[in-house]
Amino acid sequence: MSEIENKIREEARKALESNEVALVIGWGEGSVPFKTTPVFVEKADDVGKLVWNEFCVNNLAVYLPKIARDRRVGIVAKPCDIRSIVTLIQEKQVKRENVFIIGLGCGGVVDATGPDASTPRQMCLVCKKREPAIYDVIIGEAVPLEESRANIVPELPEERQKYWVEQFSKCIRCYACRQICPACYCRLCFADRVEPRWTSRKATVDEAWMFHATRVMHLAGRCIQCGECERVCPVGVPVAELAREMAEVIKENYNYEAGDPKETAPVLGQFRENDVDPAQHIE
């Protein structure tokens, strides 16, 4: 057992024994050695189920809007997960007092779906925020990665369009990206609406364009780039790239980054005098 894992269990036990929380959400052992799975610990005697290793990839914040609505819940969280929690608090989906955060310093996790189970996740290679933004307890220290991520999306518009046509031609409209995303908490998604009908369920390139482009617009200033959408895609569409590029646009034009606890509201929910007006903006 690692020192960090031991401390996670100690903090979870204290929180449960003192009735400070009703349960603790964390990672547990998966079905194979290089996998983990979300676990929900309600008894102090069961904290031994909690683990911490480089395969703890799930963004557990996705469970909070339902589980922490009317009670205080503990959660073991990486810095990216915590930025999701911050966004949920800002959007009034979760109350801060209902979440006990066991925050972790992070050195990145690995992509166990690739050919090499020791390869860092792609989103970890561009992540610069490795310290918890908010926490009740902090464990471990941030470890910067030495690798960097190569740009996989072509720069020229014609080549970019061709690239995304090829990618979206693989999309089967399973909505796994939507279901895993902590920011996709709408009770009725635009993709499921009948009146008005925004998009059909057909697995065509045009319909995939509509779904993914609209979704990334909905996530503008809200996506914290955890990469969960890309991880769960069964056909390997790099959907996180769209969100990453949108985050860069928001940062450049509105000086806003999702998951920043200093902000009181999402960028689309506030107005500043120096905001760029897209209708008047000229490159």
Side-chain angles (χ1 to χ4, degrees), residues 9 30 51 88 93-94 101 106 135 145 149 174 199 233 239 242 276:
R9 294 177 181 181
V51 303
L88 290 171
Q93 299 302 307
V94 176
I101 302 172
C106 189
Y135 56 86
L145 285 178
R149 183 181 188 181
C174 66
T199 178
C233 180
V239 286
L242 287 174
V276 173

Side-chain angles (χ1 to χ4, degrees), residues 216-217 219-222 243-258 266-268 272 276:
V216 79
M217 288 297 296
L219 292 174
R222 303 172 61 241
R244 185 182 65 80
E245 291 189 10
M246 177 60 75
E248 291 179 353
V249 171
I250 295 296
K251 173 65 175 177
E252 179 181 353
N253 289 286
Y254 302 101
N255 193 30
Y256 185 99
E257 292 183 274
V267 68
L268 296 182
R272 299 167 178 170
V276 173

Side-chain angles (χ1 to χ4, degrees), residues 100-113:
F100 179 82
I101 302 172
I102 302 175
L104 303 172
C106 189
V109 291
V110 302
D111 182 6
T113 63

Side-chain angles (χ1 to χ4, degrees), residues 22-253:
L23 62 86
V24 174
I25 310 171
W27 300 278
E29 292 183 359
S31 56
V32 291
F34 53 87
K35 295 277 189 178
T36 61
T37 187
V39 295
F40 304 85
V41 179
E42 297 181 285
K43 299 178 181 179
D45 290 342
D46 291 335
V47 297
K49 295 179 180 179
L50 296 168
V51 303
W52 169 249
N53 55 50
E54 58 190 354
F55 304 112
C56 294
V57 295
N58 300 69
N59 186 339
L60 303 176
V62 70
Y63 299 107
L64 291 178
K66 291 184 178 179
I67 293 180
R69 184 172 297 277
D70 301 313
R71 55 181 176 172
R72 195 169 198 222
V73 170
I75 183 170
V76 186
K78 306 185 297 295
C80 54
D81 311 338
I82 292 175
R83 295 200 301 278
S84 285
I85 297 172
V86 169
T87 300
L88 290 171
I89 293 171
Q90 291 168 341
E91 297 184 343
K92 296 180 172 53
Q93 299 302 307
V94 176
K95 296 178 181 179
R96 176 64 180 94
E97 59 267 26
N98 282 1
V99 186
F100 179 82
I101 302 172
I102 302 175
L104 303 172
C106 189
V109 291
V110 302
D111 182 6
T113 63
D116 183 358
S118 64
T119 303
R121 283 186 69 181
Q122 291 299 301
M123 298 309 290
C124 292
L125 297 179
V126 296
C127 178
K128 298 179 181 178
K129 300 182 182 300
R130 299 181 177 276
E131 295 284 353
I134 60 174
Y135 56 86
D136 294 286
V137 175
I138 187 169
I139 300 173
E141 298 181 354
V143 179
L145 285 178
E146 296 181 357
E147 295 184 58
S148 60
R149 183 181 188 181
N151 187 13
I152 63 174
V153 180
E155 294 290 338
L156 296 178
E158 297 82 4
E159 295 179 359
R160 287 170 61 84
Q161 183 177 19
K162 180 180 178 181
Y163 173 83
W164 284 115
V165 167
E166 292 174 352
Q167 296 302 320
F168 290 150
S169 68
K170 299 185 291 185
C171 179
I172 59 175
R173 300 295 296 281
C174 66
Y175 300 137
C177 55
R178 179 186 71 184
Q179 298 306 111
I180 200 68
C181 179
C184 284
Y185 52 73
C186 292
R187 294 182 180 179
L188 180 61
C189 178
F190 76 93
D192 296 327
R193 288 185 179 273
V194 177
E195 293 290 342
R197 182 180 295 278
W198 295 97
T199 178
S200 77
R201 295 176 179 270
K202 296 178 181 178
T204 65
V205 173
D206 288 344
E207 295 297 339
W209 264 110
M210 182 64 179
F211 171 68
H212 289 290
T214 305
R215 180 172 176 271
V216 79
M217 288 297 296
H218 285 181
L219 292 174
R222 303 172 61 241
C223 171
I224 53 81
Q225 303 175 66
C226 64
E228 284 289 84
C229 53
E230 191 168 304
R231 178 179 69 86
V232 300
C233 180
V235 293
V237 178
V239 286
E241 281 298 312
L242 287 174
R244 185 182 65 80
E245 291 189 10
M246 177 60 75
E248 291 179 353
V249 171
I250 295 296
K251 173 65 175 177
E252 179 181 353
N253 289 286

